[in-house]
Amino acid sequence: MQPDFWLQRWQQGQIGFHRGEVMPLLEKHWPALQLPAAGKVLVALCGKTLDMHWLAARGHRVLGVELSPLAVEQFFAEAGLTPERHASGNGEHFTAGPIEIIRGDAFALDDALLADVAAVYDRAALIALPPELRRRYRDTVYARLPAACQALVITLEYPQAEKSGPPFSVDQGEMQALFAAAWQLELRERRDILAQEPRFREEGVSALSTAVYRLRRP
């Protein structure tokens, strides 16, 4: 899972993980966080997800982090936006209205950038990473978020032996192992989605569910 893996996926247009619509589970479960409208929302490994537009429309300041320059370019171009640009130690910043995307390494963000994050939206970061990088992601991003920060995390669950990721299976036991020591963890929904995912069935996956968690840091 070197950076070149993801850069190549974008260059070759192999972005089946990208959705052409807002994630319904975000629309359904985000209100439960009761986040102040101006709260800053971190979306790591954001790609060009339309979910960032949805969050911005709720009044939030959105901070995306993405490795691929193509993803960042396409996000703004497809929205008809011309972002302002500047560089920092975190990477290259692209800003248009309430949305800012840093083209850089999500594992190397500085403390000041994370200090005022009110919530994390994680649909495609945790499940994009193999186990050792999931732990590093927790330790370098989640562990440095402020008290009272919340997260909405959407995962996939399937027999990992039946398919090589990404996306990877992250079950409830692993969520507990990763986060329960420092975060309050609430499973909000789990649903069977195998019938809606032909690519998984074609690869021989026998069971597939998605789960939605709300996390809160005391």
Side-chain angles (χ1 to χ4, degrees):
M1 298 299 299
Q2 297 301 313
D4 284 349
F5 172 87
W6 292 108
L7 294 173
Q8 187 175 47
R9 290 283 291 267
W10 280 96
Q11 289 165 357
Q12 296 176 347
Q14 296 178 355
I15 54 171
F17 48 82
H18 175 71
R19 297 177 58 90
E21 60 185 14
V22 174
M23 167 60 83
L25 292 173
L26 168 64
E27 296 176 302
K28 178 179 178 180
H29 292 285
W30 189 259
L33 274 61
Q34 299 183 323
L35 199 68
K40 179 176 170 182
V41 180
L42 174 66
V43 187
L45 283 65
C46 64
K48 58 174 183 177
T49 178
L50 300 178
D51 296 344
M52 290 191 287
H53 291 301
W54 187 90
L55 288 165
R58 310 276 83 73
H60 302 309
R61 292 176 294 135
V62 179
L63 176 65
V65 185
E66 172 56 45
L67 190 65
S68 168
L70 275 177
V72 178
E73 176 186 315
Q74 291 174 16
F75 174 82
F76 290 107
E78 290 171 6
L81 299 171
T82 302
E84 297 181 357
R85 299 167 62 165
H86 74 276
S88 78
N90 291 296
E92 190 172 7
H93 299 241
F94 298 75
T95 306
I99 299 176
E100 177 181 6
I101 299 179
I102 298 175
R103 186 176 66 79
D105 184 356
F107 294 93
L109 303 176
D110 64 34
D111 290 341
L113 198 68
L114 298 175
D116 62 343
V117 169
V120 175
Y121 171 57
D122 187 335
R123 180 192 76 83
L126 194 66
I127 62 173
L129 302 171
E132 64 276 11
L133 284 184
R134 292 198 286 269
R135 293 188 290 272
R136 183 180 166 207
Y137 173 52
R138 175 201 60 191
D139 293 341
T140 57
V141 178
Y142 279 88
R144 294 190 293 136
L145 294 169
C149 186
Q150 298 187 75
L152 189 73
V153 181
I154 301 174
T155 66
L156 294 175
E157 300 176 356
Y158 64 88
Q160 189 67 81
E162 296 179 353
K163 174 181 167 27
S164 58
F168 294 94
S169 176
V170 180
D171 62 21
Q172 188 170 1
E174 182 173 0
M175 286 294 292
Q176 290 282 349
L178 285 170
F179 296 110
W183 296 75
Q184 297 169 350
L185 187 69
E186 173 195 1
L187 174 64
R188 294 193 54 83
E189 180 177 352
R190 178 183 284 111
R191 65 170 66 168
D192 184 335
I193 58 169
L194 186 61
Q196 289 80 51
E197 296 291 341
R199 289 181 303 139
F200 280 80
R201 298 198 306 273
E202 289 165 5
E203 293 188 53
V205 173
S206 60
L208 176 67
S209 296
T210 187
V212 183
Y213 297 88
R214 177 188 179 186
L215 279 62
R216 186 179 185 280
R217 188 155 202 186

